[in-house]
Amino acid sequence: MGLLLLTLASALLSTYVPAGSRVEAQRLFTIRAVSLTVEPHPDGTRDPVVTRDTNVTLRCQAVVSSSGPEALVRKYTIYKDGSDVYTKTSSSSEDLLYPLPAARVSNSGKYKCEVNIEGKSMASESRKLTVTGLSTPLLHLNKGVVTEGEELTARCTAPGETGSIFFYFYDDTKEIQEERVNSNQVEVRLRFSSAGIHRIHCAYTVLITPDSFKSQESNTVVVSVKELSISPVLEVSPTDQVFEGDRLDLLCTLRSFVHNTEKIQLYLSQGTQLLSTGSTRVNHSMVARASGPTLSFECRLEMGPLFKSATKTISVTELFSVPTLRVSPAEVFQREAMTLTCRSESVASERLDRKELVYTLSPPENPLVAVGTGVFSGKALQFDFNYTCAAEAKGIKKFSQTLTVRPKVLVSVPKISVYGKAVLGQPIQILCHSDAGSLPINYTLLWGYDEVDVRSVRLPFDKAIFTVSITKPEELSKYMCEARNSKKEVPPSKRLNATVIEPLTHPTLTVIPKPDEVSEGDHLVLICGVRGTPPVTFKWYRVGTIEPLNFTTTDNKHKDYQIPRVSNDDSGTYYCEAYNSANGMVRSEQVTIQVRMALWKKAVIGGVGLLVASLLVLGVCVLYFRSKRDAAPFYDGKEGRATNGTRDSVAPPPADLSNGSSYSAPASV
C-alpha cells in the first residue's frame, strides 16, 4: 500500500506544470526544394507564352522535411522582376497559388517564389511569363469643329490594360502630344494653329522594363478647324533698287480685327533680331545694310497659343565690299620696313565714287602712318601685333578680318661644332646652329667655300647635322656653315675648330732591363707605348691572370709599370692593353721574362762549394797521413817512439784486425 502511494505521488509531481508556462519540444526541419510553375503552359516550355485574357496561375511548391507531424508556419513571397508583388503566411503544407485572371501584357515578366520558415529561406528558379496582345485604343474628342487656337479635349483609352502606359496623339502622321500615366486612359487638351481638316488618332505603348509593347492605332476622328479672321500684314518700302545706306520703312499691322478676349501682340523682326513690338501696329525705320544677298523681315501675331506670321524678303545691293587687309613683303622681319594695304575690291559705281571711301587702321596706337589711300607704312615691331582696317562711306562702315603680323627674327651668325666626337677614319657628324632666328632656317655646310650639303630646320627641336669623313686631322678645320631664313645674307660661321681623335696603333711593351737579363732583386720596368690621341688608359697583364696587374690613365702616349725588387715568382709572360676615347683597344705582343738567380747567390754557392771541396781534400789527406803513421810498427817490426824521444809502450793489436776494419786512436799529447 505504501509503495502504491509513492508511485502516485511521483506521477503527480512529474505531470505538474506551473500556471502561465508552456513546454514545447524543439522541432527539427529542412527545406529541401522550392519550385515555381506557371499554369497553363500551352507550348510545354518552362517559360510559357499566353495570349491576352488567359487566366494564369503561379504555383509555388515547397518540399519540407520535419521531425513533427504538424505543418510548420511558412511565409511565401512572390517576386516579379525583382520586386515583391504578393506575400502570404500559411500553416498548411499545401502549395501557394497566385492567380493572374485575364492576363494582360503588363503581367509579363520574370517571376520567382521564396519560402521562409523560422528564419530559414529558399527561393525557386525564375520563370518568365509572356502575355501577347493589346486591346485597340479608343479616341474620343469633345468637339468636331473649332476655330484656330480654340482648345478641345481628347481622351484616349486602352480598354482593360494595366501598368505604366505611354499615350501618343497624332495629327495625320505627325505626333503632336505624348503623356505617360499609370492608368488605361488619359485626357489632353489640343489646339490647332492652322485652318483646315485635321485627322486625329491615338496609340499607346505598355512599358515593361526592359521591353515595351505598342498597340495598334485607334479610330480616327476628323476635326474641322476654321480660320480666324485676323492675320498680320507686313509692308516694306522701298522694295526695288535698294542699296546699302538707303532708308527702309517697315509697317506691321493687322488685316482685320475680331473681338477676342485673348491678348494680341505683334512682333517685327529681322532674322533673329527683334526690331520692335506693339499691340495692333508696329512702325520701324532703318538703314539698309547688306549683311547678305537679301534681307528677310517677319511680322508675327500672337494671340494666346495662336500665332500667325507674314514675311517679306528684299534684295540689297552692296555699296562696297568688306575690305581686305594685306601685308608686304610676305615675310616681315623685326625692325624692317613693311606696308599694310586696306582695300574694298568692289564698289557700286552708280551710287559711290571709290574716292569717297575712307580707310582707317586700328588700333590707333599702331606704329604705321598713312602714305596713301588705304596704304600704311612703317617698321615692324619686335613682337606679334594685330591690325584691323575699316572702310567707310555714306554712313556705312565695314571692318576687315584681323590680320596678325608676326615679325620674323633674322637668323644670327651660325656656330659650327662637332656633334659627338671626331674620330679619324670614322664618319664625323657636324652640327650647325644659330642662337636666334625664326624657322625655317636653311643651313649650308661648306668645305673651304664649296657647298657640301644643305639641311632645313623647320621644327624647334630639329638639328642641322651633317656627316663627313676625313683622312687627315687638318681637313676638319676647313669646314664652315652658312644659315639663312630670308633673302638677306648672313656671314658664315668660323672655321671648325675641334680635336680629331686618332685611334691607337702600334702598341709596344718595353722591358728594362732586357727580358733575358732580369735577375732577382732587379728593379723591373714595363713600359707600354702607343701612337694616337691621349688621354690613354694603359693596363698591364700577366698571362694566367684575369685582373690587370695595374691600370692608369695619362695624357702621355706611354706609361710604365714598375716592380721594385723582382723575384723568381715574377717570372712569366707579360703584355699590355691601351684605350682612348676612340673606343678601340689595342694590345701589345707578349714578352716572356725569366728571373735569374742573383750574382751574390751564385758567388756564395760557388764559395761554399770550393770550401766544402777543400775541406774534403784536407780531411782525406789528414786521414791518409795518420793512417800511414799509425800502421808503421805492424810492417817494420820496430817499436814506437814518443814525440819527445821517449819510448812508448807497444799497444796490443786490435781485437778485430783480422776482418780489415780501420781504427783511429785518439792522439796523445
Side-chain angles (χ1 to χ4, degrees), residues 321-334:
S321 61
V322 174
T324 56
L325 185 60
R326 296 183 177 89
V327 62
S328 63
E331 290 186 339
V332 177
F333 287 85
Q334 293 178 353

Side-chain angles (χ1 to χ4, degrees), residues 302-576:
E302 291 186 4
M303 186 173 63
L306 176 67
F307 66 88
K308 291 186 177 185
S309 64
T311 60
K312 277 195 175 182
T313 300
I314 63 171
S315 298
V316 179
T317 302
E318 192 175 48
L319 193 62
F320 57 90
S321 61
V322 174
T324 56
L325 185 60
R326 296 183 177 89
V327 62
S328 63
E331 290 186 339
V332 177
F333 287 85
Q334 293 178 353
R335 298 181 180 275
E336 293 191 358
M338 73 170 189
T339 300
L340 296 184
T341 302
C342 183
R343 178 180 172 83
S344 293
E345 298 298 335
S346 62
V347 174
S349 57
E350 59 268 47
R351 289 290 188 94
L352 180 67
D353 189 337
R354 183 176 287 276
K355 294 180 181 179
E356 297 181 62
L357 280 173
V358 177
Y359 298 98
T360 55
L361 190 65
S362 296
E365 63 271 16
N366 71 82
L368 307 181
V369 296
V371 295
T373 303
V375 180
F376 306 88
S377 184
K379 287 190 176 181
L381 300 175
Q382 291 182 278
F383 48 87
D384 295 357
F385 203 81
N386 294 329
Y387 297 90
T388 304
C389 77
E392 185 175 6
K394 294 187 176 183
I396 303 298
K397 192 172 186 178
K398 298 182 180 181
F399 295 89
S400 70
Q401 291 185 349
T402 299
L403 173 66
T404 301
V405 177
R406 294 183 172 87
K408 298 180 67 175
V409 179
L410 188 65
V411 68
S412 60
V413 176
K415 298 177 181 178
I416 188 169
S417 60
V418 170
Y419 190 73
K421 54 188 175 183
V423 179
L424 190 66
Q426 297 181 13
I428 299 173
Q429 291 187 316
I430 296 176
L431 172 66
C432 287
H433 171 71
S434 293
D435 292 332
S438 298
L439 301 176
I441 301 174
N442 292 325
Y443 292 94
T444 303
L445 182 67
L446 303 175
W447 194 74
Y449 289 96
D450 297 329
E451 181 179 313
V452 177
D453 200 358
V454 178
R455 293 282 187 274
S456 182
V457 174
R458 299 183 178 277
L459 299 175
F461 299 103
D462 285 350
K463 292 182 174 64
I465 298 175
F466 304 87
T467 302
V468 300
S469 296
I470 60 174
T471 57
K472 299 177 182 178
E474 56 269 20
E475 293 178 0
L476 195 63
S477 61
K478 293 185 179 182
Y479 285 100
M480 299 184 298
C481 66
E482 291 180 337
R484 179 174 292 186
N485 65 349
S486 68
K487 294 180 180 180
K488 188 175 181 179
E489 292 187 359
V490 176
S493 70
K494 295 180 180 180
R495 293 185 179 274
L496 179 56
N497 182 15
T499 301
V500 179
I501 302 172
E502 296 185 46
L504 300 180
T505 58
H506 299 84
T508 59
L509 180 63
T510 304
V511 180
I512 300 176
K514 294 181 179 179
D516 55 355
E517 297 179 1
V518 179
S519 300
E520 289 180 319
D522 285 353
H523 190 98
L524 180 63
V525 180
L526 303 177
I527 303 174
C528 191
V530 291
R531 293 181 186 176
T533 302
V536 183
T537 299
F538 293 99
K539 294 183 179 181
W540 290 265
Y541 291 88
R542 179 178 177 181
V543 174
T545 60
I546 298 176
E547 297 296 325
L549 302 173
N550 190 31
F551 64 90
T552 184
T553 300
T554 178
D555 289 330
N556 298 320
K557 298 181 182 180
H558 56 81
K559 187 64 178 177
D560 60 76
Y561 167 59
Q562 302 183 22
I563 304 176
R565 296 180 62 83
V566 296
S567 65
N568 189 53
D569 293 338
D570 295 317
S571 297
T573 301
Y574 294 83
Y575 65 92
C576 70

Side-chain angles (χ1 to χ4, degrees), residues 59 176 239 250 258 266 273 317 460 578:
R59 181 183 295 273
I176 56 176
T239 58
L250 295 87
V258 177
L266 293 176
Q273 182 183 4
T317 302

Side-chain angles (χ1 to χ4, degrees), residues 108-125:
S108 299
K110 287 185 177 180
Y111 289 87
K112 183 173 66 174
C113 173
E114 183 182 70
V115 176
N116 187 298
I117 303 176
E118 297 182 6
K120 291 184 179 180
S121 62
M122 179 180 289
S124 69
E125 293 183 355

